[in-house]
Each structure stands twice: as C-alpha cells, then as structure tokens.
Amino acid sequence: MGKNSLHVLKGLDLEIQEGELVAIMGSSGSGKSTLLNIIGMLDNHDHGTYELDKVIIEKMDETKAAKYRNKFLGFVFQSFNLINYKNALENVILPLYYQGLTKKMREEKALKYLDDVGLKQWASHLPNELSGGQKQRVAIARAMVSEPKVLLADEPTGALDSNTSKEVMDLIQKINRAGKTILVVTHEHDISQMCSRVVKLKVEKAFSFQDADRVARGVANSPLVKTAIFAADPNLGRILSAIGASAISRFDESKISVQINEYVVIQNGSLVK
C-alpha cells in the first residue's frame, strides 16, 4: 500500500428503487467490483451512507454482515461458484440451512426454484454434467431461493456465449418483472441494453506534472467554479508550486481548496481530471 491511497467511487450518489433492473458499467479500475462488494457487504465504505431497505449498513462484523447478506441479498457470479461435489439441488439448498427450515421444506423450496429456472429434471446432476448456461441457471436459483430483497449479478454472462447470455438475461428479466430488484455488473453493451437503467462509472484520467501549467491556467482563467481538495502529501509542495503560489497563498497547506476548471488532485500526488 505504501504512503499512497486510491480513492474510488468518490462523490458517488446512487439511489436504486425497488423493482429496478440496473446495469453497472465502467472500464477496469472504475470501481464496479468495489461498488458491488460494498452493496454486498463484502467490503466497508470509508465515508458516506449506505442504506438498504431502510437499514443503515455500517461497520458490521462478519457475523452480522453474513446475517444481513442472507436476509437481503442474493449473489450470482461469472464463474458460477457451484460446489463441484454437490448436485444442482444440493447447491441450491445451501442458503436455506441458515433459515431454520426442515430438510423436507428445504428440498421442496430448492426444487421449486430449480423448476423456475427450467432445471428441475437436472436436480440430481453434478456441475460437471451441466453446460455453462445450466450452471448459471443453478446459480441464479441458489441466489433466489432465500428470497432476497436484491439480486447482485457480477458479470453473469461473462463466461457464456452470446446465445446462452441472452437466455440467462431473459431469465433475469423475467425475475425482475416479478418484482425483484437486480443489479448487473457488465462490460457488454448488449447486456446493459437489456436492463431498464444503465449506471456508468468513470475512471479519472491522471496527468503528469508536465501538465501543471495547463492546470494553472485553468485556475487563473476558468469562469467555472470547481473545488479541489488537496490532501497532505510528500509531493504537495511540487503540486502547489506547479499551479502557482498566488492561487493558494490564502489557504492552509494541510487542506487547500482552490478553484480549478475540471481538475482535482488526489493523495498520490498526481493531477487528475
């Protein structure tokens, strides 16, 4: 990690309504996985507020986070994450062990969800006996069997061919039409167009110190007001010199705000647009 830090999802303000089917897109490093991990309570956010079904999700230990994940969330992954030595029915049953159901109730419920995804007749088959599309259908059934509030799908079609991808997305759309809130992380435009809304995360473009004179002109000449926060850093002096002392002379060096046209500075000492 060193002395540098990386800020992702900075300034993100996202609200997803119940029953939406939302695609989350963005290039590598834009924060897609981080966002999904925070929503999925696999990572903690450093600042801001995360509210799920009127519950504030904040600084939970793993025991409490696991309880809330089982109650609120279902997960679908690109690599399916099925247990190879358990058949389709046994894989779907797994989340139900934490819900206090009898063995018969678990089996009946899991079989119903396998039937919903068209795989009831494959219930006794192991994952290595299933196609990629069938594996993903089992994974979707497993995610849905605990009746979560939100279904989180991380590149659910990433390991599938185009025809099978469409079949999986048709199933996801069907689940959404039944009222389920679904977030789909994808880099595929065709998949995003099958969702009702697309959220695009952008990577901030880094600039070298050679670009500092252009930034300085932005400080001096821009009619726009854009506030930049400069965090204390070993390179801070070089940055301040680069943009012109007159622009910052009236501010505290430990936390300096100036007016810049479309630029911010982050803690690794790089000028960023």
Side-chain angles (χ1 to χ4, degrees):
M1 297 296 290
K3 295 181 179 179
N4 297 335
S5 62
L6 176 64
H7 298 271
V8 293
L9 306 176
K10 187 176 181 180
L12 178 67
D13 186 4
L14 177 62
E15 183 174 346
I16 296 172
Q17 300 295 328
E18 185 175 0
E20 278 196 280
L21 172 54
V22 179
I24 299 174
M25 300 190 73
S27 58
S28 178
S30 61
K32 301 188 302 297
S33 295
T34 300
L35 176 60
L36 207 66
N37 285 345
I38 291 172
I39 294 173
M41 302 180 218
L42 300 172
D43 284 339
N44 292 316
H45 54 285
D46 295 315
H47 303 286
T49 302
Y50 169 28
E51 183 176 319
L52 175 61
D53 196 36
K54 299 181 181 179
V55 175
I56 300 296
I57 308 300
E58 187 175 45
K59 296 179 180 178
M60 294 183 177
D61 60 36
E62 182 52 35
T63 300
K64 189 172 183 179
K67 177 182 176 182
Y68 274 72
R69 279 195 296 268
N70 190 257
K71 177 180 179 181
F72 287 121
L73 303 169
F75 294 87
V76 178
F77 302 96
Q78 177 178 339
S79 56
F80 319 127
N81 288 0
L82 301 178
I83 297 177
N84 291 328
Y85 58 84
K86 290 186 177 291
N87 63 35
L89 180 63
E90 290 168 336
N91 268 283
V92 175
I93 282 175
L94 285 173
L96 299 178
Y97 283 106
Y98 304 97
Q99 295 193 352
L101 303 178
T102 65
K103 180 180 179 182
K104 182 179 180 180
M105 292 171 66
R106 291 196 300 265
E107 290 180 350
E108 289 177 350
K109 191 171 185 180
L111 201 59
K112 173 192 177 300
Y113 277 90
L114 274 178
D115 193 25
D116 287 347
V117 300
L119 289 179
K120 183 177 181 178
Q121 68 274 27
W122 293 84
S124 61
H125 287 250
L126 295 171
N128 63 9
E129 298 172 324
L130 305 175
S131 69
Q134 288 172 326
K135 290 178 184 177
Q136 197 59 290
R137 285 173 177 268
V138 173
I140 290 172
R142 181 185 59 190
M144 293 295 298
V145 74
S146 58
E147 301 178 8
K149 296 283 186 179
V150 181
L151 184 64
L152 303 177
D154 189 3
E155 299 282 2
T157 61
L160 306 175
D161 61 56
S162 57
N163 289 334
T164 308
S165 294
K166 185 179 183 305
E167 292 174 0
V168 168
M169 283 305 298
D170 286 342
L171 175 59
I172 287 175
Q173 287 180 319
K174 177 183 175 182
I175 294 170
N176 173 249
R177 287 194 295 270
K180 189 66 62 182
T181 306
I182 305 176
L183 277 67
V184 177
V185 167
T186 183
H187 65 276
E188 300 175 75
H189 178 74
D190 291 348
I191 298 301
S192 71
Q193 294 306 299
M194 298 180 74
C195 300
S196 57
R197 180 157 66 107
V198 179
V199 174
K200 293 184 179 180
L201 303 179
K202 294 183 178 180
V203 181
E204 295 180 326
K205 180 181 176 184
F207 287 78
S208 68
F209 287 106
Q210 284 71 26
D211 296 307
D213 60 336
R214 184 155 52 89
V215 178
R217 288 195 295 273
V219 174
N221 301 326
S222 172
L224 302 176
V225 175
K226 182 72 175 181
T227 300
I229 303 299
F230 292 71
D233 185 273
N235 291 317
L236 181 60
R238 294 179 63 192
I239 297 172
L240 301 185
S241 299
I243 68 171
S246 62
I248 52 84
S249 60
R250 64 185 183 278
F251 299 100
D252 177 5
E253 280 194 354
S254 64
K255 190 174 183 181
I256 300 173
S257 298
V258 295
Q259 292 181 359
I260 288 185
N261 179 18
E262 300 180 16
Y263 293 91
V264 297
V265 174
I266 58 177
Q267 197 169 356
N268 66 5
S270 298
L271 297 177
V272 179
K273 185 173 182 179

